[in-house]
Amino acid sequence: MSSDSLFQTGSFRQAAHYIHTHRGKTFVVYVHSRVLLAQTSLAVLVRDLALMHALGAKLVLVLGDGAFITQKTTEPSENWLHSGLHITSPRTIDETKESARRICESVKDLFSTSLANTPLAGAKLDVACDNFLHANPGPHGRGKTDGPYGADYSIDQAMLQSQLDKGNIVVVTPTVCSTDDNLVLLPSEELAQRTACVLKSEKLILILDKFRLTNHEEQGEGHYTIPEAKELVHKLSAHNEDAKRYLEIAIQACLKGIRNVHLVDIEKPGTLLEELYSLDGAATLVTAQSYEEIRPATLDDLDGIAELIQPFMDKGLLVSRSREQLELEIDRFDVIERDGVLLTCGTLYTFPKENAAEVGCLAVHPEFQSIGRGSKMLMHLERKACEAGVSKLFVLTTQTEHWFQEHGFKPSNIEDLPVEKQALYDDMRKSKVYSKSIQ
């Protein structure tokens, strides 16, 4: 198999990890109205969603309200805005419902027709389409339209969950009949957020068209915690109102318990799959927790650490360690973890008498090297040594001396090592000594 083959072992292993992680999890997916109205983009999206469903993800699609506004054929006098909501009079409810039905049927049909000439051709995908909503009566029995987001409504969690448990893909329309006999068109972004919270969804995914975080012709990318996302919103210019609005939705969803919100620009085909089934992703992520965490290792990390360092031990780059030895030294290890995968590990051995510390067992996953994670771990260990009052950091290496020199280490002698370390020095390995002063 050639090196440029579409089948890459590393990518497949990453995808396998996420296939396992996402199986059985519920994802609420908001589909922007411009995507709904662009048949080519929608067909590509549906193919990707069908594949996600086949891989075990439970999907709830919330359709963009803008498409429903565009599809309306009623007279302007029969529709009006109230508190930012589009209201349809009782006389034209049937016509508006028919418009919603056409949009739903179009989406449902694509889950069959767009799969032709794909590996999923012939697959039977059941799609349940409804609003799954109820208007809540006001104090006088009438539907309210003056809540913080407009109409006061409830999401039928039991019905939604029932459809998901049957293995159906669920499509939610942003319409609700109020108790005063009007049809209310709800803001779909807010509906998607609320639906994700009600279902305790693993993720909220916003499928957007031409999502930009800058004025450059690049789609939004990056990973942001809630404080970082808030800072980004503050920094964005007035020309990025759409980006600000969707980032605010993501922030609010995270504050309400959704762990990850993905903002996916559909303009580049395959972005959704790359975002969800690869380690580095391809879109913008706002997360309620740190996306890539440096933390002390635990006994639960033994298998991951052993797998991470084995290739380096096989090449003689790291001193061989048995599982028993790793278990005894686990409290010396720190790891960088993302989505349950250990990307980097490292140890810090302190020698209090000499006020020194050794960086050891620094290893980066082979598929994620050359993008700064080794440097990130080294900086973390250096800060940790400083906090312990250490003034000198040293390392023994056989082949990576240039990398350590780039990080401020200078050649040193065996005699400069702590006495205890000198006694353990392995003449057979001929490791070179490098050290640096820290404070």
Side-chain angles (χ1 to χ4, degrees):
M1 184 178 292
S2 63
S3 60
D4 60 349
S5 168
L6 288 175
F7 184 92
Q8 297 290 337
T9 302
S11 298
F12 183 73
R13 285 174 177 160
Q14 282 188 45
H17 168 76
Y18 286 101
I19 291 169
H20 173 72
T21 301
H22 297 336
R23 183 175 290 118
K25 302 294 176 57
T26 298
F27 300 157
V28 173
V29 183
Y30 161 77
V31 185
H32 193 282
S33 56
R34 287 198 297 268
V35 178
L36 283 175
L37 297 174
Q39 284 296 305
T40 301
S41 296
L42 184 59
V44 172
L45 171 64
V46 165
R47 285 198 293 269
D48 290 347
L49 291 171
L51 179 56
M52 290 170 57
H53 178 72
L55 293 174
K58 296 182 178 183
L59 301 177
V60 177
L61 278 59
V62 178
L63 305 184
D65 54 277
F68 291 76
I69 298 170
T70 304
Q71 292 286 318
K72 282 185 178 181
T73 57
T74 55
E75 293 294 326
S77 60
E78 300 291 348
N79 298 275
W80 64 92
L81 281 173
H82 179 83
S83 299
L85 296 173
H86 286 268
I87 313 295
T88 297
S89 73
R91 289 189 297 275
T92 56
I93 282 180
D94 289 342
E95 187 176 353
T96 305
K97 285 184 175 179
E98 174 60 22
S99 174
R101 188 196 66 79
R102 288 198 302 268
I103 295 174
C104 277
E105 288 301 319
S106 175
V107 173
K108 290 174 67 173
D109 289 345
L110 280 174
F111 275 101
S112 298
T113 60
S114 68
L115 302 184
N117 298 321
T118 75
L120 293 177
K124 186 177 184 301
L125 300 179
D126 292 321
V127 180
C129 187
D130 204 336
N131 60 8
F132 300 96
L133 304 171
H134 303 292
N136 295 334
H140 303 293
R142 299 173 63 82
K144 296 194 296 182
T145 56
D146 56 354
Y149 294 100
D152 186 13
Y153 61 93
S154 298
I155 296 169
D156 193 335
Q157 178 184 3
M159 183 59 71
L160 277 171
Q161 193 61 55
S162 173
Q163 293 294 336
L164 291 173
D165 292 342
K166 292 177 182 177
N168 295 337
I169 296 172
V170 178
V171 178
V172 179
T173 60
T175 58
V176 61
C177 286
S178 66
T179 52
D180 52 6
D181 298 325
N182 293 318
L183 188 69
V184 181
L185 186 61
L186 301 167
S188 294
E189 305 98 320
E190 185 271 334
L191 174 58
Q193 181 193 105
R194 287 184 61 172
T195 303
C197 293
V198 165
L199 292 175
K200 296 180 173 59
S201 173
E202 184 75 11
K203 297 177 183 291
L204 171 61
I205 302 169
L206 307 179
I207 303 296
L208 308 172
D209 177 60
K210 297 180 180 178
F211 175 67
R212 300 287 183 269
L213 290 179
T214 68
N215 293 327
H216 302 294
E217 288 302 311
E218 299 176 356
Q219 72 169 7
E221 294 186 19
H223 316 122
Y224 304 93
T225 61
I226 293 173
E228 290 169 342
K230 287 181 176 179
E231 183 179 357
L232 179 60
V233 169
H234 179 71
K235 288 181 177 179
L236 287 175
S237 69
H239 299 292
N240 295 89
E241 286 303 320
D242 278 352
K244 287 185 176 184
R245 184 171 79 257
Y246 291 117
L247 283 170
E248 288 284 8
I249 291 167
I251 291 168
Q252 290 303 312
C254 287
L255 289 172
K256 293 176 181 178
I258 303 303
R259 182 177 178 184
N260 294 316
V261 181
H262 302 261
L263 297 90
V264 180
D265 187 340
I266 201 63
E267 192 172 31
K268 180 183 175 183
T271 301
L272 176 61
L273 295 179
E274 188 176 354
E275 172 69 3
L276 296 181
Y277 293 93
S278 70
L279 197 61
D280 285 325
T284 298
L285 171 66
V286 178
T287 177
Q289 300 175 348
S290 178
Y291 180 56
E292 192 168 280
E293 181 184 11
I294 301 182
R295 59 170 176 80
T298 69
L299 289 174
D300 291 336
D301 298 313
L302 278 176
D303 290 338
I305 293 173
E307 183 177 352
L308 184 60
I309 66 177
Q310 189 62 52
F312 301 95
M313 294 192 299
D314 292 343
K315 295 177 182 179
L317 298 175
L318 292 177
V319 175
S320 293
R321 289 171 170 84
S322 65
R323 183 179 176 86
E324 291 75 16
Q325 188 175 358
L326 286 175
E327 186 171 349
L328 290 172
E329 297 181 343
I330 195 66
D331 60 340
R332 298 183 183 272
F333 276 88
D334 286 330
V335 295
I336 296 179
E337 177 191 12
R338 179 189 291 185
D339 287 343
V341 177
L342 297 189
L343 304 182
T344 311
C345 69
T347 60
L348 191 69
Y349 296 84
T350 58
F351 299 86
K353 289 182 180 180
E354 289 87 351
N355 202 27
E358 177 189 11
V359 171
C361 207
L362 185 58
V364 181
H365 196 296
E367 295 170 16
F368 304 100
Q369 294 177 355
S370 304
I371 50 178
R373 291 190 176 94
S375 298
K376 185 176 181 179
M377 176 57 76
L378 181 59
M379 292 173 61
H380 166 74
L381 294 174
E382 184 173 328
R383 287 193 299 270
K384 189 175 178 180
C386 286
E387 292 170 0
V390 170
S391 61
K392 182 181 179 181
L393 205 60
F394 69 90
V395 62
L396 275 68
T397 180
T398 57
Q399 296 186 32
T400 55
E401 57 266 26
H402 295 299
W403 186 83
F404 282 104
Q405 285 180 298
E406 291 172 0
H407 289 79
F409 286 80
K410 296 180 180 180
S412 191
N413 300 312
I414 298 174
E415 294 76 15
D416 297 327
L417 293 174
V419 175
E420 182 182 346
K421 187 64 183 179
Q422 290 183 42
L424 297 173
Y425 183 81
D426 186 351
D427 291 320
M428 298 294 292
R429 285 181 57 81
K430 298 186 183 301
S431 299
K432 296 180 180 179
V433 181
Y434 286 84
S435 64
K436 68 183 293 188
S437 298
I438 59 174
Q439 57 182 1

